[in-house]
Amino acid sequence: MENQPIGFLDSGVGGLTVVKEAMRQLPHEDIVFIGDQARLPYGPRPTDQVQEFTWQMTNFLLKKNIKMLVFACNTATAEALSVIKPHLSIPVVGVILPGTRAAIKATHNQRIGVISTEGTHKSQAYVEAIHARNPDLEVMSMAAPKFVPLVESNQFDTPLARKVVEETLAPFKNSGIDTLILGCTHYPLLRPLIQSYLGEDVQLIDSGAEAVSEVSVLLDYFNLTNSDTQHVGIKQFYTTAAPEMFDLIATQWLGLTSLRAQQVHISGDQSWKRN
Amino acid sequence: MENQPIGFLDSGVGGLTVVKEAMRQLPHEDIVFIGDQARLPYGPRPTDQVQEFTWQMTNFLLKKNIKMLVFACNTATAEALSVIKPHLSIPVVGVILPGTRAAIKATHNQRIGVISTEGTHKSQAYVEAIHARNPDLEVMSMAAPKFVPLVESNQFDTPLARKVVEETLAPFKNSGIDTLILGCTHYPLLRPLIQSYLGEDVQLIDSGAEAVSEVSVLLDYFNLTNSDTQHVGIKQFYTTAAPEMFDLIATQWLGLTSLRAQQVHISGDQSWKRN
C-alpha cells in the first residue's frame, strides 16, 4: 500500500500550494491532484453543493487507488470533511486544524486574524477550532471573496491584485493581530503582496503547508510512507476545465517544466448519493 | 474518551521534558507519568529487558485508563515500540520519528548529528529513520552514556556536567554538522551546556518536544482532544524509586510548586508475557 499515491483535491489551482510543500517534504511520494476549476469558486456555494462536488472529486481520486486523501481546500474542509471522512477507510487530512495549531503556536500577543472564502468564514470553522483550544485568544475573521478569482485568472502578481489585497485587508492594518491565517489554499500565491501590505511583524500561516506536516505524521503512523527512497514521486494533475490556464499557473508555481493536466468530467457522478 | 488522561513513560525523569512541552501545548489534557528510576539507565540494558520493563510501565498506565500512550524515552522507542504498539488499541507515539522529521526540516547543509544512549545508538534507529527519508543526508551518530546519570543525580548544571559535555561532544566540534538531535529525553536538561559548547550555529532538536506536535495531530485525528477548555489538566507522577530526587528535579524543571510523585512497584508484573 505504501507505493500508492496520495490524493489531493481542491476547487482549483490553490491546492497546488499544498502539493508544492508535499513535493519538498515528501519527494518519494506519488501524487494525484484534482482541481474542480469548471465549478469554482466554492466559497459562495451552499453547503450541500460543496459536499456533492467534494464527493465527486473524492470518488475520482479513490479510483486512482490513493492511500491517503488531502482536502487541500479550506471550503471543502470546513463544509464536507466531517461528512465524508467517516465513509472512507483511508486517512483523510484537512487544512483547518493544521493551520489552527500553527497559529496558536506562533502568536505572542494572543490576537489572530483569519482570512478565508465566504463559505469557510460563515462556517466559523477556524474561530471554533481556535477557541476549542484556547477560549482566551482573540480571533478576527473575515471573508476575502475577491482573492480566488484573482489567482485563478493568473493575475496574482498584478497592480490590480495589489489594490484588491490592500482594500480587502485594510481592517487588519493596525488591528493589533500578530498572526494571520491564510485560510484558503489559493492565498499563498498572494503572499508577497499580503506580507508587504501588513508588514513583517505579522506572521502569515499557510494552512496548506502546515497540513503536509500532518500528512507526514499520519503516513508514518499508519506505516504508509513510501520506503523506496530512490523513487522520484510521479505527479498526475487533473482539472475539470480546459487545462491551459491550469498548466500555466502550475508550471510557474511548482517550477515543473513539462506539466500537462488532463481534463476530466466528474459532474455526472451520482454514486456519492449512496453514501 | 476525550476526558481520559494521556500516559507518558520513561526510564527516569527525562520524560518530564516531554511533559513540560505537553503542558504548554495541551494545557487542558490530564497527564499520567511513570519513570522507572529504580532500574535506570535503560541505555546499557539488553533489548529483551528494555521490552520487559517497558511492558510493565505500559500495563501500569493502561490501568490508569489512558487514551493515548507516549514513549517519552528514546531507548524504549528504539527497542520496544514496534513490539508493543500492535498489541494496543489506543494510539502510541514514540520520539524518534518526530525528531527525525524536525532534523530533516532544519538542516541546511545536509549534515546531521545524533547523540543518544548506547541502546538507541546501537539500534541505529535514528540513522535508519533519516536515511529512509533521504539517503543522501550525512549522519554522525554517537552514544553519550554519561549524560543520563548526570541528569538523574541532579548535577545537570554543575562544572562536572560542563566537563562531561565538552569531553563527550568533542568529536562534533568543527565536524560540520549544522543540526544535532538530542536523542534522549534526558538531554534537554543539559541543553544550555550543549548549546554553549557547540555554538549557536548548531541547531539542537529536542525529539521529545517534537513528539508533542505528533500527539496533538493524533489527538485531533482520532477525536480525542479534550474539548473542555475550562479544564486545567491534572498531572499525576509515579516513580519506581524513592520519590525525593524525582520531586526535586521535577519541581525545578516543570515549575510546579507542590509536585509529589508516588512510588509504585511494577517489577512483579508478568502479565506482559501473555502478549
Side-chain angles (χ1 to χ4, degrees), chain A residues 75-206:
Chain A
T75 311
T77 301
E79 307 202 59
L81 187 135
S82 64
V83 175
I84 293 177
K85 184 179 167 186
H87 293 278
L88 306 189
S89 58
I90 55 172
V92 183
V93 172
V95 284
I96 290 179
L97 287 178
T100 298
R101 266 186 234 110
I104 291 178
K105 210 170 168 188
T107 185
H108 294 296
N109 73 0
Q110 319 294 308
R111 300 169 89 172
I112 299 171
V114 185
I115 48 170
S116 61
T117 66
E118 300 99 308
T120 306
H121 172 65
K122 267 193 224 143
S123 77
Q124 293 281 298
Y126 274 105
V127 180
E128 287 172 8
I130 292 168
H131 283 158
R133 275 155 187 74
N134 187 346
D136 298 331
L137 294 172
E138 205 175 304
V139 188
M140 183 175 165
S141 173
M142 255 183 45
K146 292 183 180 169
F147 284 10
V148 169
L150 271 178
V151 170
E152 288 286 343
S153 58
N154 199 22
Q155 298 186 79
F156 52 87
D157 56 359
T158 59
L160 172 66
R162 178 177 296 275
K163 187 164 167 286
V164 170
V165 164
E166 294 185 0
E167 283 172 5
T168 306
L169 299 184
F172 285 111
K173 190 87 176 172
N174 307 318
S175 67
I177 60 159
D178 70 350
T179 304
L180 178 68
I181 297 177
L182 306 179
C184 170
T185 53
H186 284 76
Y187 299 173
L189 287 100
L190 293 162
R191 185 178 188 129
L193 294 180
I194 297 172
Q195 191 80 69
S196 149
Y197 178 63
L198 292 180
E200 294 296 327
D201 290 344
V202 176
Q203 298 179 80
L204 303 183
I205 303 293
D206 178 346

Side-chain angles (χ1 to χ4, degrees), chain A residues 28 85 91-92 97 101 105 131-133 135 213-214 216-218 220-222 229-230, chain B residues 28 85 91-92 97 101 105 131-133 135 213-214 216-218 220-222 229-230:
Chain A
H28 314 304
K85 184 179 167 186
V92 183
L97 287 178
R101 266 186 234 110
K105 210 170 168 188
H131 283 158
R133 275 155 187 74
S213 302
E214 179 158 338
S216 177
V217 166
L218 294 175
D220 286 336
Y221 188 81
F222 292 110
T229 53
Q230 302 305 316
Chain B
H28 314 304
K85 184 178 167 186
V92 184
L97 287 177
R101 268 186 233 110
K105 210 171 166 186
H131 284 158
R133 276 156 188 75
S213 303
E214 180 159 338
S216 178
V217 166
L218 294 175
D220 286 337
Y221 188 81
F222 292 110
T229 54
Q230 303 306 316

Side-chain angles (χ1 to χ4, degrees), chain B residues 148-197:
Chain B
V148 169
L150 271 179
V151 171
E152 289 285 342
S153 58
N154 199 21
Q155 298 187 78
F156 52 87
D157 55 359
T158 59
L160 171 66
R162 179 178 296 275
K163 188 164 166 285
V164 170
V165 164
E166 294 185 0
E167 282 171 8
T168 307
L169 299 184
F172 284 112
K173 190 86 176 172
N174 307 317
S175 67
I177 60 158
D178 70 351
T179 305
L180 178 68
I181 297 176
L182 306 180
C184 171
T185 53
H186 284 76
Y187 299 173
L189 286 100
L190 294 162
R191 186 178 188 131
L193 294 179
I194 297 173
Q195 190 81 68
S196 150
Y197 178 62

Side-chain angles (χ1 to χ4, degrees), chain B:
Chain B
M1 193 164 183
E2 61 168 60
N3 298 321
Q4 295 169 215
I6 304 171
F8 293 77
L9 62 80
D10 183 36
S11 61
V13 296
L16 293 176
T17 64
V18 189
V19 170
K20 186 178 187 176
E21 190 61 26
M23 285 165 56
R24 197 182 73 80
Q25 287 186 38
L26 307 165
H28 314 304
E29 300 294 340
D30 290 350
I31 286 169
V32 189
F33 176 89
I34 182 167
D36 192 8
Q37 291 186 294
R39 299 184 288 189
L40 70 80
Y42 275 19
R45 292 188 180 275
T47 299
D48 57 351
Q49 212 171 44
V50 172
Q51 291 175 357
E52 175 184 343
F53 295 176
T54 307
W55 256 126
Q56 290 170 338
M57 288 196 283
T58 298
N59 285 336
F60 175 81
L61 291 171
L62 289 175
K63 284 178 200 145
K64 300 288 175 191
N65 201 25
I66 55 172
K67 63 183 174 184
M68 184 180 285
L69 175 60
V70 182
F71 279 35
C73 172
N74 282 267
T75 310
T77 301
E79 308 202 58
L81 188 136
S82 65
V83 175
I84 294 178
K85 184 178 167 186
H87 293 280
L88 305 190
S89 58
I90 55 171
V92 184
V93 172
V95 283
I96 290 179
L97 287 177
T100 298
R101 268 186 233 110
I104 292 179
K105 210 171 166 186
T107 184
H108 294 296
N109 74 358
Q110 319 294 306
R111 301 170 89 171
I112 298 170
V114 184
I115 48 171
S116 61
T117 65
E118 300 98 308
T120 306
H121 172 65
K122 267 194 223 142
S123 77
Q124 292 280 298
Y126 274 105
V127 180
E128 286 173 8
I130 293 169
H131 284 158
R133 276 156 188 75
N134 187 346
D136 298 331
L137 293 173
E138 206 175 304
V139 187
M140 183 175 168
S141 174
M142 253 181 49
K146 292 182 181 168
F147 284 11
V148 169
L150 271 179
V151 171
E152 289 285 342
S153 58
N154 199 21
Q155 298 187 78
F156 52 87
D157 55 359
T158 59
L160 171 66
R162 179 178 296 275
K163 188 164 166 285
V164 170
V165 164
E166 294 185 0
E167 282 171 8
T168 307
L169 299 184
F172 284 112
K173 190 86 176 172
N174 307 317
S175 67
I177 60 158
D178 70 351
T179 305
L180 178 68
I181 297 176
L182 306 180
C184 171
T185 53
H186 284 76
Y187 299 173
L189 286 100
L190 294 162
R191 186 178 188 131
L193 294 179
I194 297 173
Q195 190 81 68
S196 150
Y197 178 62
L198 292 179
E200 292 297 326
D201 290 345
V202 176
Q203 298 178 79
L204 303 184
I205 303 292
D206 177 346
S207 54
E210 298 296 333
V212 176
S213 303
E214 180 159 338
V215 169
S216 178
V217 166
L218 294 175
L219 284 177
D220 286 337
Y221 188 81
F222 292 110
N223 294 319
L224 292 172
T225 301
N226 190 343
S227 58
D228 179 1
T229 54
Q230 303 306 316
H231 179 70
V232 179
I234 299 164
K235 280 90 192 169
Q236 300 173 61
F237 300 93
Y238 297 91
T239 172
T240 56
E244 287 72 22
M245 185 64 97
F246 184 97
D247 290 350
L248 195 68
I249 300 175
T251 304
Q252 186 177 343
W253 181 248
L254 298 176
L256 295 175
T257 45
S258 59
L259 191 152
R260 286 282 174 281
Q262 290 178 54
Q263 186 171 3
V264 288
H265 300 283
I266 58 173
S267 60
D269 172 22
Q270 297 294 311
S271 63
W272 59 277
K273 289 190 171 165
R274 289 200 305 270
N275 287 294

